[in-house]
Amino acid sequence: MEILKKPLLTEKVAQLTEKLNRYAFIVDPRANKIQIKTAIEAMYGVNIVAVNTMRYVGKLKSRNTKAGLVQGRSATVKKAIITLKDGETIDFYSNI
């Protein structure tokens, strides 16, 4: 199971990073806080103070096509907001 899917890079997360030293990641929905913490500490070499998680159930989607009404659902996502120790940062652009 790959725990970390990708980092979230939005304006709202950028404000959290600047003010509160918090970063956001899309993670596997089956991962718990301890697994998320160890995965981020191993990948980026930082000390984590707190991990907060959120689950978002996928939205129902429908559209009209020539074949009729097509219905589906977008993917369910789990986000993790991590708080780092003071003075530590994660640079996403140098790990390319």
Side-chain angles (χ1 to χ4, degrees), residues 16-70:
L16 279 177
T17 302
E18 291 172 5
K19 294 179 182 175
L20 302 172
N21 203 21
R22 292 184 178 180
Y23 295 86
F25 292 89
I26 300 288
V27 296
D28 191 288
R30 298 169 291 175
N32 61 29
K33 291 182 181 185
I34 298 167
Q35 292 171 333
I36 294 167
K37 182 178 178 178
T38 55
I40 293 172
E41 286 177 343
M43 181 173 276
Y44 294 105
V46 293
N47 294 321
I48 296 175
V49 175
V51 177
N52 301 97
T53 58
M54 299 171 263
R55 292 178 55 104
Y56 289 99
V57 178
K59 294 181 180 177
L60 289 172
K61 304 275 186 166
S62 62
R63 65 176 186 260
N64 290 314
T65 63
K66 289 181 182 179
L69 185 67
V70 176

